[in-house]
Amino acid sequence: MQSSVGVADRMAEVGKRAIRDHLIDQHSQFFPLLPFVVLGAVDPAGNAWATLRSGRPGFMRAASPHRLSIRIPRDPGDPADAGMEDGDGLGLLGIDLFTRRRNRLNGPVSRNDADGFDLVVKQSYGNCPQYIQMRQFSFTRDPAKPSAEPGIPQEVADDRVRALIQSADTLFVASYAARESGHRQVDVSHRGGKPGFVRIGPDGVITIPDFAGNRFFNTLGNFLVNPKGGLAFPDWETGDLLQLTGDVEVILDSPEIKDFQGAERFWRFKPRQILYRPNALPLRWAASPEGRSPNSLSTGSWAEVERRQKAATLATLATLATLATRWRPLRVSRIVKESAVIRSFHLEPTDGAGISPHVAGQFLPIRVVPAGSALPLIRTYTLSVAPSDGIYRLSVKRQGLVSSFLHDCLREADIIEARAPDGSFVINAAERRPAALLAAGIGVTPLLAMLRHIVYEGIRTRRFRPTWFFYAARSKADRAFDTELTELVVAAKGAITLVRLLSHADGATEGRDYDAIGRIDETLLTKMLPLEDCDFYLCGPAAFTQSIYDSLRRLDVRDESVHAEAFGPGSLNRSLDKSLVAEPLLPAATVPVPIVFVASDKVACWMPEAGSLLDLAETRGLSHEFSCRKGHCGTCRTRILKGAVTYAKSPSYNVRDGEALICIAVPAATDAGRVEAVHLDL
């Protein structure tokens, strides 16, 4: 521990001077003044326990410079008592809460009777007054008589235990290490801070910050060689005592350390046994008005950390909300040729705000100005990476004006604009039901992102979602991501089955380059998949997606088990299960309807033959963002300030209440065919 912070050589010299094998006069005079002592012991099972034991001042006295006599009776209700037999190693901390003095010693127990024992001094040294809260004591009963109330063992910390831990400004911790002689060297120490400096998580794990101290590292050094510890939390006002024994992990480096004021490292304690002892202590302590330790006042609390984290989260959400609605510059950091017709473009933000998070399967709206185009053109391309990849990658097939511009004109270091990722065609990698991902052509991109997500989550949790990945392509030259898919299959250790299909096998070898010739059909699906217990994800040209969907429905796969995203001229026509009734769309208006474009301060009259509200806006000279004009991408979504709209067919994009996809929306007729003006935030 000392080496980790670069003080080993210096502390070796300090230790020779400060740690003694006998009691100096000052310590001999100190211990008889105390009304209680903190002890650290190890029970026969090897569990470390910290405890507080009381007596009238004078119950401890120095029998000689090498022995401290402690007159306390046996207490069967104290789990630490079992570690105070003759020859057992014991740690002792004498602490005066009013003067903030404390001294420690450890050594073996020398016991002749049940009324007390001597502690043979092996190590004795003083501690500084840091983090001790000033308190004055008073007795409420004879300290020679143990509490008549039985202890309450718990497997899981209840609300009372949690409240005591979370409000504590003081705890005591026991630790030990085995010596070469076979004896145990036991230590017990004090920890203090602001109320709330100790955290107990939902899983019961207790986290304690380690503040700057004397650099002896007795406690943490023991934990590194023997990760067992014991904690004691006294309730100063009631005399209750909470004792826990468990396992410890020392955290030398964590992002949380910089968030907790004054902490240099953390340690985590996982309880194995919990004992709450009501009225265990015959003492009560009253805090002094000005008795808060100055050192403790300069430290943080977990409540403060949570407040700062919450504020940071709110600020981040506000930033993300802004990023979601504005165009941002992205630099092309890398271009990769994936096949004869597909290129991948790796993008990174240039504004220093980091990438907006996405969900596997979502798309990224981008805006470019190809040569010869008077206005920017907007397209949406699927992100072909998982959220945990931490990058944006668009894999684009050359098949139109914008994609040709990307292939032919875009170079590394060029800038394009993008908005936040969007889309509802996503997957839950933690779901246990098997998944079948069926792709054709460039429809592989969202499914590749989903597969990467499934593999990463499987590696992280050691539980892979069983997955079949079907990939149909025209030829081997047209197919992309061969190496990447193979690596993912290997990483999944048998949880993923890859099935590659080619329409034309020219120059390809079966088994090495493909698994079947032809298309994905009912025969193949029936042969390979557990149809009744599987979720299906389809993406490809509209004809492919519709054909696969219809095949699955004929095979009695439920509509709700089929998730699809089509690109091209049309969207999926679904046949709902009889038990499911789709919410009917409002009828379209059959008479002229006034349309108010509020932000532009323009008014138009929509006619039944006028087309969509986007068409109408363009006739009035308004330029609004759009991409698919099919209700797939959500680029054109606009707030409805007044009135109602409807669609000839439900859009595949999940539009929110109060918004309209104006690329396919028309005014709706209300009750009895009545119409009212539609006000749009455009």
Side-chain angles (χ1 to χ4, degrees):
M1 275 300 304
Q2 291 169 353
S3 296
S4 73
V5 294
V7 298
D9 292 340
R10 178 168 64 85
M11 292 307 299
E13 294 300 319
V14 173
K16 292 176 183 178
R17 298 192 305 269
I19 300 177
R20 308 172 182 88
D21 62 358
H22 62 279
L23 294 170
I24 62 175
D25 290 344
Q26 184 184 44
H27 294 177
S28 296
Q29 297 163 9
F30 171 72
F31 286 111
L33 303 176
L34 302 178
F36 78 101
V37 66
V38 184
L39 300 173
V42 182
D43 69 17
N47 298 310
W49 294 95
T51 189
L52 277 67
R53 301 294 290 272
S54 302
R56 301 289 181 183
F59 79 99
M60 291 188 292
R61 63 179 182 84
S64 75
H66 298 284
R67 281 180 176 254
L68 182 69
S69 177
I70 307 169
R71 308 313 296 168
I72 50 174
R74 304 305 296 253
D75 185 351
D78 183 353
D81 195 82
M84 301 180 193
E85 301 295 345
D86 186 59
D88 286 345
L90 198 69
L92 180 148
L93 170 68
I95 183 169
D96 185 339
L97 298 181
F98 187 72
T99 64
R100 294 197 177 104
R101 292 177 62 194
R102 56 177 166 171
N103 295 294
R104 287 155 77 175
L105 62 89
N106 63 62
V109 170
S110 176
R111 180 184 286 278
N112 295 316
D113 56 53
D115 294 327
F117 56 86
D118 286 357
L119 186 60
V120 180
V121 180
K122 290 298 182 182
Q123 292 182 329
S124 173
Y125 52 98
N127 270 173
C128 63
Q130 291 189 100
Y131 313 112
I132 300 176
Q133 323 305 334
M134 187 182 292
R135 289 181 165 91
Q136 294 179 312
F137 74 91
S138 61
F139 283 98
T140 59
R141 68 169 189 269
D142 183 353
K145 296 180 179 179
S147 171
E149 298 185 51
I152 304 170
Q154 301 179 21
E155 293 185 1
V156 179
D158 63 15
D159 291 343
R160 180 168 56 176
V161 166
R162 286 180 169 274
L164 178 55
I165 292 172
Q166 291 169 337
S167 63
D169 62 13
T170 302
L171 66 89
F172 300 98
V173 51
S175 61
Y176 73 96
R179 308 300 291 176
E180 294 179 359
S181 62
H183 294 92
R184 290 168 174 156
Q185 182 168 311
V186 187
D187 182 74
V188 68
S189 180
H190 160 275
R191 292 292 188 273
K194 282 184 179 179
F197 83 105
V198 182
R199 178 178 68 184
I200 178 168
D203 57 357
V205 174
I206 299 168
T207 304
I208 299 99
D210 193 68
F211 303 128
N214 56 25
R215 306 294 189 184
F216 281 130
F217 294 130
N218 305 71
T219 301
L220 298 190
N222 280 347
F223 287 157
L224 288 183
V225 297
N226 179 35
K228 294 182 178 181
L231 302 184
F233 291 86
D235 188 322
W236 304 115
E237 296 180 359
T238 67
D240 295 352
L241 182 63
L242 172 64
Q243 293 171 274
L244 312 95
T245 188
D247 303 307
V248 179
E249 176 188 13
V250 179
I251 310 297
L252 297 178
D253 188 19
S254 167
E256 285 186 312
I257 294 173
K258 61 179 175 50
D259 292 330
F260 200 105
Q261 186 175 339
E264 295 185 331
R265 61 199 64 81
F266 291 128
W267 48 283
R268 295 194 179 109
F269 179 90
K270 184 176 182 180
R272 280 184 280 104
Q273 296 181 48
I274 303 172
L275 183 66
Y276 190 91
R277 299 173 61 202
N279 198 30
L281 304 175
L283 293 165
R284 302 294 182 268
W285 286 265
S288 298
E290 304 299 326
R292 185 67 62 189
S293 164
N295 303 89
S296 296
L297 291 175
S298 65
T299 65
S301 69
W302 289 106
E304 293 169 350
V305 171
E306 291 172 1
R307 283 195 294 270
R308 288 196 298 270
Q309 290 175 341
K310 184 176 181 180
T313 300
L314 291 174
T316 300
L317 292 174
T319 300
L320 292 176
T322 300
L323 296 178
T325 57
R326 71 172 175 89
W327 293 99
R328 304 174 60 201
L330 299 180
R331 178 185 294 108
V332 180
S333 61
R334 186 181 174 204
I335 300 176
V336 179
K337 183 178 180 180
E338 306 287 4
S339 76
V341 294
I342 298 173
R343 287 192 178 188
S344 287
F345 301 88
H346 295 242
L347 307 173
E348 59 185 19
T350 64
D351 56 9
I355 64 172
S356 300
H358 76 284
V359 182
Q362 287 189 313
F363 55 76
L364 187 75
I366 67 168
R367 185 168 67 177
V368 297
V369 185
S373 177
L375 296 173
L377 298 181
I378 298 171
R379 294 293 186 270
T380 56
Y381 295 107
T382 303
L383 289 160
S384 56
V385 286
S388 54
D389 281 310
I391 62 170
Y392 284 162
R393 181 180 71 175
L394 302 182
S395 302
V396 180
K397 178 182 178 182
R398 180 199 295 272
Q399 56 182 6
L401 175 62
V402 174
S403 62
S404 296
F405 168 79
L406 298 179
H407 275 246
D408 298 335
C409 302
L410 211 58
R411 300 290 182 267
E412 292 182 0
D414 284 351
I415 302 295
I416 65 173
E417 292 181 305
R419 283 204 307 221
D422 203 349
S424 57
F425 182 55
V426 297
I427 195 169
N428 177 10
E431 173 63 55
R432 299 270 59 87
R433 276 168 55 87
L437 313 182
L438 294 86
I442 194 58
V444 70
T445 54
L447 303 186
L448 176 60
M450 293 179 184
L451 187 67
R452 293 180 71 87
H453 185 43
I454 289 170
V455 172
Y456 293 164
E457 286 299 294
I459 293 172
R460 185 181 67 84
T461 63
R462 300 182 181 179
R463 290 186 63 186
F464 290 92
R465 182 175 186 179
T467 304
W468 285 262
F469 194 96
F470 294 80
Y471 184 10
R474 192 176 66 87
S475 67
K476 184 178 183 298
D478 292 333
R479 191 177 65 207
F481 310 113
D482 281 352
T483 301
E484 189 171 325
L485 287 169
T486 300
E487 291 174 348
L488 292 171
V489 170
V490 171
K493 300 178 180 178
I496 293 172
T497 300
L498 175 63
V499 183
R500 302 159 299 168
L501 297 96
L502 296 178
S503 299
H504 306 287
D506 298 343
T509 302
E510 185 175 3
R512 185 188 69 186
D513 299 320
Y514 67 93
D515 303 297
I517 294 291
R519 300 180 178 181
I520 303 172
D521 56 21
E522 292 181 28
T523 302
L524 182 65
L525 297 176
T526 303
K527 176 183 176 182
M528 301 201 67
L529 296 175
L531 297 173
E532 70 285 352
D533 186 31
C534 194
D535 290 324
F536 296 84
Y537 295 82
L538 324 177
C539 190
F544 163 84
T545 306
Q546 191 67 57
S547 173
I548 298 298
Y549 175 82
D550 292 341
S551 294
L552 292 172
R553 296 295 283 130
R554 284 193 295 271
L555 293 170
D556 293 327
V557 173
R558 295 175 300 170
D559 172 77
E560 63 185 30
S561 297
V562 183
H563 312 270
E565 182 163 88
F567 54 86
S571 59
L572 190 65
N573 293 312
R574 289 183 174 270
S575 56
L576 298 180
D577 296 317
K578 293 180 180 180
S579 60
L580 301 175
V581 179
E583 184 176 342
L585 294 169
L586 292 172
T590 57
V591 297
V593 179
I595 307 297
V596 181
F597 300 105
V598 175
S600 305
D601 196 23
K602 291 188 177 184
V603 178
C605 184
W606 179 87
M607 306 295 289
E609 65 276 9
S612 70
L613 292 173
L614 178 59
D615 295 330
L616 180 66
E618 291 173 338
T619 66
R620 295 291 290 146
L622 300 179
S623 178
H624 189 56
E625 294 176 347
F626 67 89
S627 178
C628 68
R629 296 189 90 114
K630 298 293 181 181
H632 301 332
C633 69
T635 303
C636 69
R637 63 186 186 273
T638 304
R639 280 200 306 149
I640 304 171
L641 304 177
K642 183 179 179 182
V645 303
T646 190
Y647 308 94
K649 179 182 176 183
S650 294
S652 57
Y653 182 89
N654 292 328
V655 63
R656 293 187 290 265
D657 290 342
E659 289 187 343
L661 300 179
I662 64 171
C663 71
I664 60 171
V666 297
T670 57
D671 297 340
R674 182 173 57 84
V675 298
E676 62 176 347
V678 175
H679 292 221
L680 298 175
D681 187 16
L682 174 62

